[in-house]
Amino acid sequence: MASFPTLLYKELLRFWKVGFQTVAAPVLTALLYLVVFAYALEGRMRVYDQVSYAQFLVPGLVMMSVLQNAFANSSSSLIQSKITGNLVFMLLAPISYLEFFSAYVLASMIRGLVVGAGVLAVTVWFVELRVVAPLWVIAYALLGGAILGGLGLIAGIWADRFDQIAAFQNFVILPLTFLSGVFYSIRSLPEFWQQASRLNPFFYMIDGFRYGFFGISDVPPLASLAVVAVSFVLLSTACLLLLRSGYKLRQ
Amino acid sequence: MTIAIEALNVEKRYGALQALAGVSLSVAEGEFFGLLGPNGAGKTTLISIIAGLARASAGEVRVMGADVVTDYRRARRMLGVVPQELVFDPFFTVRETLRIQSGYYGLRDNDAWIDEVIHHLDLGARADANMRALSGGMKRRVLVAQALVHRPPVIVLDEPTAGVDVELRRGLWQFIRRLNRDGHTIVLTTHYLEEAEELCDRIAMLKAGRIVALDSTRNLLGTFSGLVLRLRLDRETLPEGLAAEVLSGDAGHYALRLHDHGGLELVLRQLREAGATIRELELEPPDLEEVFLRVMRKH
Ligand SMILES: Nc1ncnc2c1ncn2[C@@H]1O[C@H](COP(=O)(O)OP(=O)(O)O)[C@@H](O)[C@H]1O
Ligand SMILES: [Mg+2]
């Protein structure tokens, strides 16, 4: 793993240099969601008896930020390197596909976690929050970030243009995060949509993550963790196979 | 002697297009080797396969004995490539770019060598400037520096002087020549044939994915005996049955091949009899350009 530290450093430096756009902006977005939804729906919506709607909302927003930013990091980095052509510098070097995968995914996780921590740090000024099971919080944040980092890598490998990444973001990532119960509990949905939500892996990430805060969830946290872990293994395998084949990266 | 680069029956197809149709060559360690050919001949494709950026449809390539597919990590450590396109990462400065490139090869305490490369390529004044802020010529130098960070024994340069001003070109060649003297194997492609003639020990000429000439520069020049007569005429056509081989002709400018000085008198008489007026005339010994044009026309 000789190239891994540098590749990771490069990926971190890249998003850190434009931190205003990659960290500050998504934190602000999440804060706006909190203000608008919490005030508009406070009192009208109560998901769990012991938890106010604003409290319910915060972990969902944090996790949503982790997921979306992890995806944005690897996908935008790779597509930029492909389009500007500087991917060649990595392709010329003796970097194994495992190192490439690990560095991109880990950097994406870190970007997701930094933004997620930022959202949490800002929202605790407005909403009182406790964390009953921090290990669950950490486990779901790490796995969720890793899955979306890997998904971003796959999107970056597949796409030839920026707008294809944007389409992936708008038509896949955004609907899956919005329909995963960030803003509501799926138990408030009609039966059909409850079942449909259970097919969405993002639902388990949000639900399990929220369990870490309140000790309550729609699905037992261990079952969610199993779904999330299996998703991670499948997705990583797919990604590693793509990288090994050189698909769309080496002619 | 070790073979620096060995290609055996390398083929590359892009769909229906055969970019390389069975190329075999070997470059000895320490050689200064030229790869010439018109646009689309397959030079960049061959370099991409050597570098592992593309995979051959058939055939094998080894760099310093390491197979570029099965032993790719060793092969890539042995090789430094200056790509044809002027690519760069807009997020980083020159020094960051070079440090990162070193790190890709596992070299983390490489600043002394990086400083040396920066110095030799005259990048010192811009070392902490962002890549975006650099002129084209400067970016090209950074590309050369990036190819050298891991001190590869074999260096491949794909049209390194395209779009580069004369002064930089001279400086660059001086530097490359020094690397060659220090024992590095150099492979280069260029459109400036006088550069290739001056620098290269051996030359391969590529056309439509095939090697059409492969010999020492001296032998290639030697196959072309005689003199080159350059003419500018008042007309766009040459008289029929001229007693000289036409090497090139375009808009009244002609290059003709003469066997000796005696042939000059005959050609001039034929032109006079045809009523052509000579506007300019030059007589030169043969150069690589003539050899190149002849080889390309023959195949
Ligand atoms: N990625 C590619 N897809 C399809 N055709 C390609 C690709 N790369 C190169 N070619 C074709 O292969 C041939 C050789 O190209 P190239 O190696 O770039 O030539 P050169 O470097 O000698 O100018 C050209 O006809 C070119 O259009
Ligand atoms: Mg080329």
Side-chain angles (χ1 to χ4, degrees):
Chain A
M1 296 293 265
S3 332
F4 171 79
T6 302
L7 208 49
L8 177 64
Y9 167 77
K10 182 212 89 168
E11 279 300 286
L12 295 177
L13 191 59
R14 185 190 154 277
F15 88 73
W16 195 247
K17 280 198 171 194
V18 285
F20 202 69
Q21 187 191 325
T22 54
V23 178
V27 169
L28 180 66
T29 308
L31 189 63
L32 290 175
Y33 273 127
L34 179 74
V35 171
V36 171
F37 279 89
Y39 279 105
L41 298 176
E42 187 68 73
R44 255 179 281 175
M45 201 110 136
R46 192 152 199 101
V47 182
Y48 303 121
D49 290 337
Q50 329 65 324
V51 180
S52 77
Y53 180 64
Q55 286 175 323
F56 173 85
L57 198 52
V58 168
L61 286 175
V62 170
M63 193 58 168
M64 185 169 94
S65 306
V66 172
L67 301 181
Q68 288 182 348
N69 283 281
F71 178 86
N73 203 67
S74 50
S75 61
S76 65
S77 176
L78 188 54
I79 193 75
Q80 265 174 12
S81 288
K82 270 169 75 173
I83 287 175
T84 59
N86 63 51
L87 185 69
V88 72
F89 302 131
M90 286 170 264
L91 297 179
L92 284 172
I95 300 173
S96 73
Y97 62 95
L98 196 63
E99 283 176 295
F100 192 86
F101 172 83
S102 320
Y104 270 76
V105 169
L106 189 55
S108 300
M109 288 166 72
I110 292 173
R111 154 111 172 254
L113 294 177
V114 167
V115 175
V119 173
L120 198 59
V122 172
T123 48
V124 291
W125 288 89
F126 302 90
V127 182
E128 199 187 322
L129 214 61
R130 61 220 150 86
V131 184
V132 300
L135 284 182
W136 287 112
V137 171
I138 293 167
Y140 279 99
L142 290 176
L143 272 176
I147 289 175
L148 270 287
L151 202 56
L153 209 44
I154 291 177
I157 293 169
W158 161 79
D160 301 310
R161 303 187 311 267
F162 283 110
D163 60 291
Q164 288 172 324
I165 292 288
F168 204 98
Q169 225 151 4
N170 292 328
F171 292 99
V172 181
I173 305 298
L174 204 65
L176 285 180
T177 38
F178 264 78
L179 299 176
S180 64
V182 172
F183 299 100
Y184 53 84
S185 161
I186 63 158
R187 280 180 302 174
S188 59
L189 294 176
E191 180 59 26
F192 172 79
W193 288 107
Q194 275 196 42
Q195 291 310 319
S197 296
R198 283 168 185 271
L199 298 175
N200 176 3
F202 289 40
F203 157 71
Y204 298 93
M205 299 180 206
I206 305 269
D207 195 56
F209 186 70
R210 196 179 276 132
Y211 175 87
F213 286 83
F214 309 123
I216 21 179
S217 55
D218 293 346
V219 173
L222 203 58
S224 289
L225 194 70
V227 173
V228 174
V230 168
S231 306
F232 171 70
V233 170
L234 290 180
L235 195 99
S236 302
T237 309
C239 191
L240 284 168
L241 288 175
L242 275 181
L243 285 172
R244 195 179 64 175
S245 75
Y247 175 72
K248 286 218 177 180
L249 299 181
R250 294 182 198 273
Q251 300 152 11
Chain B
M1 194 164 25
T2 320
I3 296 176
I5 295 181
E6 187 170 32
L8 287 170
N9 300 313
V10 175
E11 293 181 27
K12 180 68 182 177
R13 281 180 293 273
Y14 289 112
L17 181 96
Q18 182 99 15
L20 292 176
V23 169
S24 298
L25 57 82
S26 69
V27 179
E29 202 179 352
E31 225 178 349
F32 205 128
F33 190 89
L35 199 55
L36 307 182
N39 276 329
K43 305 180 294 293
T44 299
T45 304
L46 182 59
I47 290 172
S48 299
I49 290 170
I50 293 169
L53 300 173
R55 286 189 188 155
S57 312
E60 284 170 38
V61 178
R62 277 184 286 278
V63 178
M64 299 297 279
D67 188 283
V68 298
V69 178
T70 57
D71 196 5
Y72 72 95
R73 303 188 100 186
R74 208 160 71 79
R76 284 184 209 163
R77 275 180 202 289
M78 298 292 168
L79 190 68
V81 176
V82 181
Q84 182 179 342
E85 306 292 334
L86 208 53
V87 292
F88 63 96
D89 194 325
F91 282 91
F92 306 121
T93 66
V94 173
R95 194 178 290 279
E96 281 168 349
T97 298
L98 297 178
R99 282 205 176 131
I100 288 171
Q101 197 66 28
S102 290
Y104 289 163
Y105 293 86
L107 307 168
R108 264 173 281 286
D109 296 309
N110 202 22
D111 282 356
W113 172 241
I114 288 178
D115 281 335
E116 205 178 320
V117 172
I118 283 179
H119 169 75
H120 283 302
L121 286 165
D122 223 356
L123 283 163
R126 308 304 310 273
D128 296 308
N130 188 284
M131 288 299 300
R132 261 182 312 218
L134 263 49
S135 67
M138 281 287 187
K139 287 192 183 111
R140 182 71 67 183
R141 289 190 229 189
V142 177
L143 278 182
V144 176
Q146 275 179 277
L148 299 177
V149 286
H150 58 297
R151 301 178 189 240
V154 184
I155 301 162
V156 178
L157 304 107
D158 197 354
E159 296 193 30
T161 47
V164 163
D165 61 64
V166 181
E167 201 177 337
L168 173 56
R169 246 159 73 189
R170 199 160 302 151
L172 198 59
W173 289 134
Q174 224 162 31
F175 183 56
I176 308 275
R177 227 201 270 257
R178 226 193 67 173
L179 289 169
N180 182 238
R181 267 201 306 272
D182 293 346
H184 292 270
T185 308
I186 311 284
V187 174
L188 80 92
T189 80
T190 178
H191 279 295
Y192 300 99
L193 294 167
E194 68 277 26
E195 285 180 355
E197 180 177 338
E198 199 185 316
L199 293 161
C200 299
D201 306 324
R202 232 154 45 95
I203 285 172
M205 293 187 188
L206 218 58
K207 185 180 181 184
R210 275 173 220 284
I211 291 185
V212 289
L214 173 61
D215 210 335
S216 69
T217 311
R218 181 205 293 264
N219 283 349
L220 283 170
L221 289 170
T223 57
F224 189 96
S225 58
L227 296 161
V228 178
L229 173 64
R230 290 184 194 284
L231 289 171
R232 190 160 72 83
L233 297 181
D234 63 339
R235 59 192 61 201
E236 308 264 307
T237 51
L238 284 171
E240 294 281 321
L242 204 62
E245 182 187 347
V246 183
L247 296 167
S248 63
D250 178 39
H253 291 260
Y254 297 96
L256 308 179
R257 179 177 173 225
L258 304 176
H259 287 290
D260 49 36
H261 285 86
L264 179 62
E265 181 48 42
L266 187 59
V267 170
L268 292 182
R269 196 168 64 225
Q270 285 179 319
L271 288 172
R272 208 174 320 122
E273 278 165 7
T277 307
I278 295 169
R279 294 258 157 85
E280 282 166 33
L281 182 149
E282 256 179 309
L283 204 54
E284 291 173 353
D287 61 11
L288 193 63
E289 184 155 350
E290 254 49 72
V291 178
F292 180 80
L293 291 171
R294 216 153 77 110
V295 168
M296 288 304 143
R297 221 172 13 182
K298 214 165 66 186
H299 288 90

